[in-house]
């Protein structure tokens, strides 16, 4: 975890001065793999406890499953944007979307600062809407494919959970800028 103050901006380092509370994506992969597996297995154990193993894969369609995952992953990034826009008062033009090929992951990036409270809201919203909510609905109705998709998205929110953990001591009103390259942000100096 990096919490050292960032140097003042210059031609080589365009980051504003402040306290960096961000980690490289690779660090999340290294440090949170076990948590990610737990976040996948716990929902699956819950589903199997209620509906059984046979029902988990009953009616499973691989193409549909991949389509559901792609849609939920894209929606995950959209919910980051929605959370930051409305909780942080950002405009749509303050947000950018892209794809990091080296990580094989889409992303949403906020280009302007927001209160840490809003940053947290935008970080937690996708895990709830694209992971927990689909899983709970699937658990209630007994749809194994959607339960598995929800569990994968719950597990996929491990990076957001990791960021929330490393910023746990940041006051809710502190101004925070989303880091352009790492998971997390920069707490701006007053």
């Amino acid at each position: 975890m990096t919490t050292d103050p960032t140097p003042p901006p210059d031609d080589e380092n365009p980051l504003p001065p402040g306290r960096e509370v961000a980690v490289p994506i690779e660090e999340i992969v290294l440090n949170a793999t076990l948590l990610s597996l737990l976040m996948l297995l716990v929902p699956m154990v819950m589903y199997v406890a209620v509906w059984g193993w046979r029902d988990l894969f009953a009616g499973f369609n691989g193409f549909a499953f991949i389509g559901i995952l792609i849609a939920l992953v894209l929606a995950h990034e959209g919910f980051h944007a929605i959370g930051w826009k409305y909780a942080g008062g950002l405009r749509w033009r303050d947000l950018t979307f892209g794809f990091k090929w080296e990580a094989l992951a889409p992303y949403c990036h906020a280009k302007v600062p927001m209160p840490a409270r809003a940053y947290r809201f935008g970080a937690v919203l996708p895990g709830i809407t694209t992971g927990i909510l689909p899983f709970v609905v699937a658990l209630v109705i007994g749809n194994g494919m959607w339960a598995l998709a929800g569990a994968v998205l719950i597990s996929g929110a491990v990076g957001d959970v990791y960021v929330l953990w490393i910023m746990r001591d940041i006051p809710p009103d502190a101004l925070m800028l989303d880091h352009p390259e790492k998971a997390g942000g920069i707490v701006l100096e007053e």
Side-chain angles (χ1 to χ4, degrees):
M1 173 174 72
T2 306
T3 56
D4 300 324
T6 57
D10 57 32
D11 291 339
E12 293 180 23
N13 184 8
L15 299 176
R19 180 175 150 209
E20 188 173 292
V21 185
V23 294
I25 300 297
E26 302 80 34
E27 183 176 323
I28 293 172
V29 172
L30 275 173
N31 294 335
T33 300
L34 183 59
L35 177 60
S36 181
L37 287 172
L38 269 168
M39 291 170 67
L40 176 68
L41 291 176
V42 167
M44 295 291 43
V45 168
M46 290 170 57
Y47 186 87
V48 169
V50 172
W51 293 98
W53 281 106
R54 285 172 84 205
D55 193 69
L56 181 60
F57 294 105
F60 191 85
N61 178 318
F63 290 115
F65 181 71
I66 290 179
I68 290 167
L69 283 183
I70 290 170
L72 288 175
V73 166
L74 294 175
H76 178 107
E77 298 309 318
F79 279 109
H80 279 306
I82 290 167
W84 289 337
K85 177 184 179 358
Y86 292 104
L90 277 58
R91 300 164 297 186
W92 288 116
R93 68 176 176 240
D94 296 331
L95 302 160
T96 59
F97 296 90
F99 194 86
K100 290 192 185 261
W101 287 102
E102 61 278 1
L104 293 176
Y107 67 87
C108 174
H109 170 65
K111 300 181 287 187
V112 298
M114 68 190 92
R117 170 187 309 104
Y119 191 91
R120 286 182 178 105
F121 180 76
V124 77
L125 187 61
I128 293 169
T129 56
T130 66
I132 294 172
L133 191 59
F135 173 76
V136 168
V137 170
L139 183 63
V140 169
I141 67 171
N143 186 310
M145 187 167 61
W146 273 94
L148 185 56
V152 168
L153 268 289
I154 291 169
S155 175
V158 71
D160 298 328
V161 171
Y162 197 85
V163 167
L164 290 168
W165 176 255
I166 66 171
M167 63 178 292
R168 66 192 176 278
D169 66 337
I170 306 301
D173 293 326
L175 264 187
M176 190 154 168
L177 179 65
D178 190 29
H179 199 288
E181 298 294 325
K182 299 177 182 178
I186 300 162
V187 180
L188 302 177
E189 294 177 350
E190 293 295 323

